[in-house]
Amino acid sequence: MATEGYVEASGLRFHLYEWGGAGRPVVLLHGLASNARVWDFVAPLLAERARVVAIDQRGHGLSSGSETGYGFDQTTTDLAGVVEALGLVRPVIAGHSWGASVAVEFAARHPDAAAGIILVDGGVFSPRSDGASWEETERRLAPPRLAGTPRARLFEMMRGGDLGAFWRPEFESIIMAGFESRPDGTIAPRLTFERHLQIVRALWETDTRAHFADVTCPTLLLPAVRGEGDAAERKREGVAAALRLLPDGRVVWLEDSVHDVVLQRPEVVAEAIVSFLGEIT
């Protein structure tokens, strides 16, 4: 059972969950517009082998936010501050989606701070490496304006996505950890539209792939792929390119998996992470 807590870093108050456990510390980072509870099914399995902490990143979940400061300079500083506040020594950083990009940037900027990083279906591609213009990136990645959406409608939208076939009742509380519930039955994202776009802009401005060569710690890629076709082939090519750039990289393909694989197949994700923990010193 996780315990909740807060630490101060970067002048903000960061909310987190700790699952206890002993051994190598593992810090779990969620994706853009998500929250720490996305790791609810993976973290207890990891706690059998490690001290596990999941963080609500700046402006997400119950962590405080700021009007600016959502680029990688600040989010990696945030992470360093949280790690220090918790007294963690050379943790493994596991990030999902955008959280994987934060993990890459952290490892590149703080080469001695992490014992390893894990990129769960993220970190390999960026709009800049794909050659997309800012206008294209903004149009594709700008979030829907969900403030004022009825709660029931939000869940209807979520069940209509990739997770619909794997839906569990517990998903509702996990999703709602990223939203404010209003008295009239509507919701509002805790990460505001404007702050969300700052992160998208940072993703566009930063070619994370170009920083792989600076990541000296062991790196595990956990890409999710489902079926074949152009998208799957492109992902396989991107992962192969990443492995050529990483000094110490390895991959475990999560076949028949959707992007939110941490919710869909937590046992498979946890097994791969535990195996990686056994390989590093």
Side-chain angles (χ1 to χ4, degrees):
M1 187 71 177
T3 59
E4 292 186 70
Y6 289 87
V7 297
E8 302 286 336
S10 303
L12 298 176
R13 194 166 183 245
F14 287 87
H15 176 252
L16 53 86
Y17 296 92
E18 293 199 62
W19 277 264
R24 173 75 66 185
V26 176
V27 177
L28 305 174
L29 304 178
H30 59 76
L32 176 56
S34 184
N35 68 88
R37 287 202 55 195
V38 75
W39 294 99
D40 271 9
F41 302 124
V42 173
L45 303 175
L46 299 181
E48 298 174 7
R49 290 285 304 274
R51 178 186 174 186
V52 182
V53 179
I55 303 167
D56 280 332
Q57 297 197 72
R58 168 183 295 247
H60 291 76
L62 295 179
S63 289
S64 56
S66 57
E67 291 308 309
T68 60
Y70 293 87
F72 289 111
D73 284 346
Q74 192 57 59
T75 54
T76 55
T77 298
D78 291 345
L79 179 55
V82 171
V83 166
E84 181 179 5
L86 290 171
L88 305 180
V89 178
R90 297 192 71 237
V92 170
I93 310 295
H96 174 240
S97 195
W98 164 65
S101 297
V102 175
V104 172
E105 294 297 326
F106 177 80
R109 296 162 191 244
H110 303 274
D112 298 321
I117 61 172
I118 301 164
L119 315 181
V120 184
D121 209 39
V124 173
F125 295 101
S126 66
R128 177 58 59 89
S129 63
D130 288 350
S133 69
W134 166 242
E135 290 74 21
E136 293 169 327
T137 302
E138 183 180 29
R139 184 170 57 253
R140 182 166 57 91
L141 298 182
R145 291 190 177 271
L146 293 174
T149 300
R151 176 173 170 148
R153 173 58 182 154
L154 174 67
F155 293 139
E156 180 182 327
M157 293 165 60
M158 295 291 186
R159 285 193 294 268
D162 287 341
L163 277 176
F166 316 101
W167 193 262
R168 302 188 195 184
E170 299 95 322
F171 289 178
E172 293 194 6
S173 62
I174 292 171
I175 291 167
M176 283 307 299
F179 290 88
E180 173 191 352
S181 292
R182 293 174 168 176
D184 63 357
T186 65
I187 55 87
R190 294 191 182 276
L191 180 70
T192 66
F193 182 89
E194 293 75 19
R195 295 173 184 179
H196 188 125
L197 277 187
Q198 286 186 51
I199 296 174
V200 172
R201 181 77 187 193
L203 285 167
W204 179 76
E205 291 178 342
T206 306
D207 186 356
T208 298
R209 184 186 295 173
H211 298 163
F212 283 164
D214 299 321
V215 177
T216 57
C217 64
T219 301
L220 173 64
L221 306 181
L222 294 179
V225 66
R226 196 177 186 197
E228 300 301 329
D230 291 344
E233 181 61 26
R234 179 174 171 273
K235 180 172 284 191
R236 293 187 188 279
E237 291 173 356
V239 168
L243 291 173
R244 288 193 293 271
L245 294 169
L246 286 163
D248 187 1
R250 73 281 325 256
V251 61
V252 175
W253 283 95
L254 305 178
E255 304 284 351
D256 195 28
S257 300
V258 300
H259 179 60
D260 287 319
V261 64
V262 292
L263 294 175
Q264 177 206 4
R265 306 183 72 203
E267 296 84 2
V268 174
V269 174
E271 180 181 4
I273 292 175
V274 167
S275 178
F276 179 67
L277 293 178
E279 295 173 7
I280 62 178
T281 57

mmCIF file with all atom_site columns, all heavy atoms in Angstrom, residues 267-279:
data_model
loop_
_atom_site.group_PDB
_atom_site.id
_atom_site.type_symbol
_atom_site.label_atom_id
_atom_site.label_alt_id
_atom_site.label_comp_id
_atom_site.label_asym_id
_atom_site.label_entity_id
_atom_site.label_seq_id
_atom_site.pdbx_PDB_ins_code
_atom_site.Cartn_x
_atom_site.Cartn_y
_atom_site.Cartn_z
_atom_site.occupancy
_atom_site.B_iso_or_equiv
_atom_site.pdbx_formal_charge
_atom_site.auth_seq_id
_atom_site.auth_comp_id
_atom_site.auth_asym_id
_atom_site.auth_atom_id
_atom_site.pdbx_PDB_model_num
ATOM 1  N N   . GLU A 1 267 ? 2.158  -6.175  -15.298 1.00 0.00 ? 267 GLU A N   1
ATOM 2  C CA  . GLU A 1 267 ? 3.030  -7.292  -14.914 1.00 0.00 ? 267 GLU A CA  1
ATOM 3  C C   . GLU A 1 267 ? 4.215  -7.421  -15.876 1.00 0.00 ? 267 GLU A C   1
ATOM 4  O O   . GLU A 1 267 ? 5.349  -7.686  -15.457 1.00 0.00 ? 267 GLU A O   1
ATOM 5  C CB  . GLU A 1 267 ? 2.247  -8.600  -14.884 1.00 0.00 ? 267 GLU A CB  1
ATOM 6  C CG  . GLU A 1 267 ? 1.141  -8.651  -13.848 1.00 0.00 ? 267 GLU A CG  1
ATOM 7  C CD  . GLU A 1 267 ? -0.162 -8.021  -14.349 1.00 0.00 ? 267 GLU A CD  1
ATOM 8  O OE1 . GLU A 1 267 ? -0.217 -7.589  -15.511 1.00 0.00 ? 267 GLU A OE1 1
ATOM 9  O OE2 . GLU A 1 267 ? -1.125 -7.960  -13.549 1.00 0.00 ? 267 GLU A OE2 1
ATOM 10 N N   . VAL A 1 268 ? 3.954  -7.225  -17.170 1.00 0.00 ? 268 VAL A N   1
ATOM 11 C CA  . VAL A 1 268 ? 5.014  -7.325  -18.171 1.00 0.00 ? 268 VAL A CA  1
ATOM 12 C C   . VAL A 1 268 ? 6.019  -6.192  -18.003 1.00 0.00 ? 268 VAL A C   1
ATOM 13 O O   . VAL A 1 268 ? 7.242  -6.395  -18.081 1.00 0.00 ? 268 VAL A O   1
ATOM 14 C CB  . VAL A 1 268 ? 4.410  -7.313  -19.590 1.00 0.00 ? 268 VAL A CB  1
ATOM 15 C CG1 . VAL A 1 268 ? 5.504  -7.275  -20.646 1.00 0.00 ? 268 VAL A CG1 1
ATOM 16 C CG2 . VAL A 1 268 ? 3.523  -8.532  -19.797 1.00 0.00 ? 268 VAL A CG2 1
ATOM 17 N N   . VAL A 1 269 ? 5.510  -4.970  -17.771 1.00 0.00 ? 269 VAL A N   1
ATOM 18 C CA  . VAL A 1 269 ? 6.397  -3.823  -17.554 1.00 0.00 ? 269 VAL A CA  1
ATOM 19 C C   . VAL A 1 269 ? 7.255  -4.055  -16.312 1.00 0.00 ? 269 VAL A C   1
ATOM 20 O O   . VAL A 1 269 ? 8.476  -3.854  -16.331 1.00 0.00 ? 269 VAL A O   1
ATOM 21 C CB  . VAL A 1 269 ? 5.577  -2.532  -17.421 1.00 0.00 ? 269 VAL A CB  1
ATOM 22 C CG1 . VAL A 1 269 ? 6.488  -1.358  -17.042 1.00 0.00 ? 269 VAL A CG1 1
ATOM 23 C CG2 . VAL A 1 269 ? 4.836  -2.223  -18.722 1.00 0.00 ? 269 VAL A CG2 1
ATOM 24 N N   . ALA A 1 270 ? 6.623  -4.492  -15.220 1.00 0.00 ? 270 ALA A N   1
ATOM 25 C CA  . ALA A 1 270 ? 7.359  -4.702  -13.976 1.00 0.00 ? 270 ALA A CA  1
ATOM 26 C C   . ALA A 1 270 ? 8.418  -5.790  -14.130 1.00 0.00 ? 270 ALA A C   1
ATOM 27 O O   . ALA A 1 270 ? 9.542  -5.657  -13.630 1.00 0.00 ? 270 ALA A O   1
ATOM 28 C CB  . ALA A 1 270 ? 6.384  -5.068  -12.858 1.00 0.00 ? 270 ALA A CB  1
ATOM 29 N N   . GLU A 1 271 ? 8.085  -6.853  -14.831 1.00 0.00 ? 271 GLU A N   1
ATOM 30 C CA  . GLU A 1 271 ? 9.043  -7.939  -15.030 1.00 0.00 ? 271 GLU A CA  1
ATOM 31 C C   . GLU A 1 271 ? 10.282 -7.452  -15.770 1.00 0.00 ? 271 GLU A C   1
ATOM 32 O O   . GLU A 1 271 ? 11.420 -7.793  -15.414 1.00 0.00 ? 271 GLU A O   1
ATOM 33 C CB  . GLU A 1 271 ? 8.384  -9.081  -15.804 1.00 0.00 ? 271 GLU A CB  1
ATOM 34 C CG  . GLU A 1 271 ? 9.302  -10.264 -16.055 1.00 0.00 ? 271 GLU A CG  1
ATOM 35 C CD  . GLU A 1 271 ? 8.628  -11.372 -16.852 1.00 0.00 ? 271 GLU A CD  1
ATOM 36 O OE1 . GLU A 1 271 ? 7.466  -11.192 -17.273 1.00 0.00 ? 271 GLU A OE1 1
ATOM 37 O OE2 . GLU A 1 271 ? 9.274  -12.415 -17.055 1.00 0.00 ? 271 GLU A OE2 1
ATOM 38 N N   . ALA A 1 272 ? 10.081 -6.634  -16.797 1.00 0.00 ? 272 ALA A N   1
ATOM 39 C CA  . ALA A 1 272 ? 11.211 -6.109  -17.563 1.00 0.00 ? 272 ALA A CA  1
ATOM 40 C C   . ALA A 1 272 ? 12.072 -5.179  -16.710 1.00 0.00 ? 272 ALA A C   1
ATOM 41 O O   . ALA A 1 272 ? 13.305 -5.203  -16.782 1.00 0.00 ? 272 ALA A O   1
ATOM 42 C CB  . ALA A 1 272 ? 10.708 -5.381  -18.803 1.00 0.00 ? 272 ALA A CB  1
ATOM 43 N N   . ILE A 1 273 ? 11.426 -4.357  -15.884 1.00 0.00 ? 273 ILE A N   1
ATOM 44 C CA  . ILE A 1 273 ? 12.169 -3.435  -15.032 1.00 0.00 ? 273 ILE A CA  1
ATOM 45 C C   . ILE A 1 273 ? 12.955 -4.197  -13.973 1.00 0.00 ? 273 ILE A C   1
ATOM 46 O O   . ILE A 1 273 ? 14.133 -3.903  -13.719 1.00 0.00 ? 273 ILE A O   1
ATOM 47 C CB  . ILE A 1 273 ? 11.212 -2.413  -14.381 1.00 0.00 ? 273 ILE A CB  1
ATOM 48 C CG1 . ILE A 1 273 ? 10.637 -1.475  -15.450 1.00 0.00 ? 273 ILE A CG1 1
ATOM 49 C CG2 . ILE A 1 273 ? 11.943 -1.606  -13.308 1.00 0.00 ? 273 ILE A CG2 1
ATOM 50 C CD1 . ILE A 1 273 ? 9.593  -0.499  -14.924 1.00 0.00 ? 273 ILE A CD1 1
ATOM 51 N N   . VAL A 1 274 ? 12.345 -5.178  -13.343 1.00 0.00 ? 274 VAL A N   1
ATOM 52 C CA  . VAL A 1 274 ? 13.033 -5.978  -12.326 1.00 0.00 ? 274 VAL A CA  1
ATOM 53 C C   . VAL A 1 274 ? 14.251 -6.680  -12.919 1.00 0.00 ? 274 VAL A C   1
ATOM 54 O O   . VAL A 1 274 ? 15.330 -6.735  -12.300 1.00 0.00 ? 274 VAL A O   1
ATOM 55 C CB  . VAL A 1 274 ? 12.075 -6.979  -11.676 1.00 0.00 ? 274 VAL A CB  1
ATOM 56 C CG1 . VAL A 1 274 ? 12.838 -8.023  -10.852 1.00 0.00 ? 274 VAL A CG1 1
ATOM 57 C CG2 . VAL A 1 274 ? 11.056 -6.266  -10.798 1.00 0.00 ? 274 VAL A CG2 1
ATOM 58 N N   . SER A 1 275 ? 14.098 -7.211  -14.119 1.00 0.00 ? 275 SER A N   1
ATOM 59 C CA  . SER A 1 275 ? 15.227 -7.864  -14.783 1.00 0.00 ? 275 SER A CA  1
ATOM 60 C C   . SER A 1 275 ? 16.364 -6.873  -15.024 1.00 0.00 ? 275 SER A C   1
ATOM 61 O O   . SER A 1 275 ? 17.548 -7.174  -14.799 1.00 0.00 ? 275 SER A O   1
ATOM 62 C CB  . SER A 1 275 ? 14.770 -8.471  -16.095 1.00 0.00 ? 275 SER A CB  1
ATOM 63 O OG  . SER A 1 275 ? 15.841 -9.078  -16.779 1.00 0.00 ? 275 SER A OG  1
ATOM 64 N N   . PHE A 1 276 ? 16.025 -5.659  -15.445 1.00 0.00 ? 276 PHE A N   1
ATOM 65 C CA  . PHE A 1 276 ? 17.018 -4.605  -15.668 1.00 0.00 ? 276 PHE A CA  1
ATOM 66 C C   . PHE A 1 276 ? 17.722 -4.247  -14.370 1.00 0.00 ? 276 PHE A C   1
ATOM 67 O O   . PHE A 1 276 ? 18.958 -4.075  -14.348 1.00 0.00 ? 276 PHE A O   1
ATOM 68 C CB  . PHE A 1 276 ? 16.330 -3.390  -16.270 1.00 0.00 ? 276 PHE A CB  1
ATOM 69 C CG  . PHE A 1 276 ? 17.210 -2.212  -16.527 1.00 0.00 ? 276 PHE A CG  1
ATOM 70 C CD1 . PHE A 1 276 ? 18.204 -2.251  -17.484 1.00 0.00 ? 276 PHE A CD1 1
ATOM 71 C CD2 . PHE A 1 276 ? 17.028 -1.029  -15.830 1.00 0.00 ? 276 PHE A CD2 1
ATOM 72 C CE1 . PHE A 1 276 ? 19.015 -1.142  -17.737 1.00 0.00 ? 276 PHE A CE1 1
ATOM 73 C CE2 . PHE A 1 276 ? 17.824 0.087   -16.073 1.00 0.00 ? 276 PHE A CE2 1
ATOM 74 C CZ  . PHE A 1 276 ? 18.822 0.018   -17.022 1.00 0.00 ? 276 PHE A CZ  1
ATOM 75 N N   . LEU A 1 277 ? 16.981 -4.136  -13.275 1.00 0.00 ? 277 LEU A N   1
ATOM 76 C CA  . LEU A 1 277 ? 17.579 -3.805  -11.989 1.00 0.00 ? 277 LEU A CA  1
ATOM 77 C C   . LEU A 1 277 ? 18.616 -4.851  -11.593 1.00 0.00 ? 277 LEU A C   1
ATOM 78 O O   . LEU A 1 277 ? 19.620 -4.535  -10.963 1.00 0.00 ? 277 LEU A O   1
ATOM 79 C CB  . LEU A 1 277 ? 16.499 -3.716  -10.909 1.00 0.00 ? 277 LEU A CB  1
ATOM 80 C CG  . LEU A 1 277 ? 15.486 -2.580  -11.034 1.00 0.00 ? 277 LEU A CG  1
ATOM 81 C CD1 . LEU A 1 277 ? 14.443 -2.662  -9.916  1.00 0.00 ? 277 LEU A CD1 1
ATOM 82 C CD2 . LEU A 1 277 ? 16.171 -1.218  -11.014 1.00 0.00 ? 277 LEU A CD2 1
ATOM 83 N N   . GLY A 1 278 ? 18.362 -6.098  -11.960 1.00 0.00 ? 278 GLY A N   1
ATOM 84 C CA  . GLY A 1 278 ? 19.309 -7.156  -11.645 1.00 0.00 ? 278 GLY A CA  1
ATOM 85 C C   . GLY A 1 278 ? 20.580 -7.094  -12.466 1.00 0.00 ? 278 GLY A C   1
ATOM 86 O O   . GLY A 1 278 ? 21.594 -7.729  -12.101 1.00 0.00 ? 278 GLY A O   1
ATOM 87 N N   . GLU A 1 279 ? 20.560 -6.350  -13.570 1.00 0.00 ? 279 GLU A N   1
ATOM 88 C CA  . GLU A 1 279 ? 21.713 -6.298  -14.473 1.00 0.00 ? 279 GLU A CA  1
ATOM 89 C C   . GLU A 1 279 ? 22.682 -5.161  -14.136 1.00 0.00 ? 279 GLU A C   1
ATOM 90 O O   . GLU A 1 279 ? 23.841 -5.198  -14.560 1.00 0.00 ? 279 GLU A O   1
ATOM 91 C CB  . GLU A 1 279 ? 21.243 -6.096  -15.918 1.00 0.00 ? 279 GLU A CB  1
ATOM 92 C CG  . GLU A 1 279 ? 20.424 -7.263  -16.469 1.00 0.00 ? 279 GLU A CG  1
ATOM 93 C CD  . GLU A 1 279 ? 19.861 -6.928  -17.824 1.00 0.00 ? 279 GLU A CD  1
ATOM 94 O OE1 . GLU A 1 279 ? 20.205 -5.852  -18.384 1.00 0.00 ? 279 GLU A OE1 1
ATOM 95 O OE2 . GLU A 1 279 ? 19.059 -7.729  -18.348 1.00 0.00 ? 279 GLU A OE2 1
#
